Amino acid sequence: MRTMILSAALLGAAYVPTAAQAQLTAPMPVHAVPADVTLLDVVAEGRTIRVPDLAMIGAGVVTQAPTASEAMTANAAAMAQVLAAVKRAGVADRDVQTASMTLSPQYRYGENQPPILTGYQASNRVNIRFRDIAKSGAILDALVKAGANQIDGPNLTLAEPDAAMDEARTDAVKRARARAELYARAAGLRVDRIVSISESDRMAEPMPVMMQSARMESDARTKIAPGEQAVEISLNVRFALR
């Protein structure tokens, strides 16, 4: 039996689900493939769902003053209060990292007039990891009360993604095998073995973050809903059919 190439026309397949797309390839050189073997390449995506357990938030302090020294001094004092609030909230030192520090002159512009220096603006930003998402809203409120006037995030992710990635890989292999079995039956063949597996893509897809900002009432609190996050893997699997 000489080497064959499976085709969608042979199987009468007009549609292949994107979760496990069968991709048909030309046979390898005759000397590398036994005469009774048909090669089938399958692209399959595995997926698993997790609840995020790590929040990444950027917090900053921007201050302005007539001189550069005054702007930096005021900024340092304000940031010290922010960092103290973070520490009181129980955030470990390893979860706080300086992201940027800037100092820039500020000008007033008038029509047909040279710019006039009006002062300086200093900015200091830190990235903070919150390992307890349920408390991150309260920490955000504490940051604002301590003087933080720039907040970015939260970006929610997984602290330990490896187990979720492995689960998605297992799901991808199962999907690829099921698709190969389908093609083999339709062609009157059987799946003999897996020839190769390659991981072509990996992706963590965060679901939209819901954050309710605190209102003016004293009893209002910022709340963050973690939602769910899809972890996906794409595999290219080559099967030998006989």
Side-chain angles (χ1 to χ4, degrees), residues 95-233:
D95 290 330
V96 182
Q97 183 179 55
T98 298
S100 66
M101 297 182 65
T102 62
L103 176 67
S104 58
Q106 302 296 294
Y107 295 95
R108 184 175 67 248
Y109 297 91
E111 186 175 356
N112 299 323
Q113 297 291 331
I116 299 174
L117 179 67
T118 60
Y120 291 83
Q121 177 175 287
S123 174
N124 189 344
R125 296 177 55 79
V126 294
N127 291 329
I128 308 169
R129 292 184 295 187
F130 299 143
R131 299 181 184 273
D132 187 347
I133 293 180
K135 296 180 180 179
S136 57
I139 297 177
L140 281 173
D141 292 338
L143 289 175
V144 173
K145 289 180 180 179
N149 50 21
Q150 284 191 339
I151 299 289
D152 292 330
N155 297 316
L156 304 185
T157 186
L158 301 177
E160 301 292 341
D162 289 348
M165 298 295 292
D166 288 345
E167 188 172 318
R169 291 184 180 101
T170 300
D171 183 53
V173 172
K174 289 180 179 179
R175 290 175 181 268
R177 183 82 187 197
R179 184 62 57 187
E181 294 283 359
L182 183 150
Y183 273 88
R185 289 193 303 269
L189 303 172
R190 63 177 176 81
V191 176
D192 181 62
R193 64 188 177 88
I194 292 177
V195 177
S196 65
I197 301 177
S198 63
E199 188 173 302
S200 62
D201 188 28
R202 63 178 60 191
M203 174 174 55
E205 176 188 341
M207 301 297 286
V209 176
M210 300 299 295
M211 183 171 69
Q212 301 173 354
S213 299
R215 294 174 297 174
M216 294 303 293
E217 291 85 348
S218 60
D219 61 343
R221 296 292 184 271
T222 299
K223 297 179 181 179
I224 295 176
E228 293 182 336
Q229 182 168 313
V231 178
E232 298 179 346
I233 279 289

Side-chain angles (χ1 to χ4, degrees), residues 1-6 10 30 33-39 184 187-190 240-242:
M1 176 181 179
R2 63 188 179 85
T3 303
M4 299 183 298
I5 306 174
L6 289 178
L10 172 65
V30 175
V33 181
D36 62 341
V37 169
T38 297
L39 295 179
L189 303 172
R190 63 177 176 81
L241 309 184
R242 292 182 184 272

Side-chain angles (χ1 to χ4, degrees), residues 34-45:
D36 62 341
V37 169
T38 297
L39 295 179
L40 171 67
D41 286 349
V42 173
V43 179
E45 290 185 355

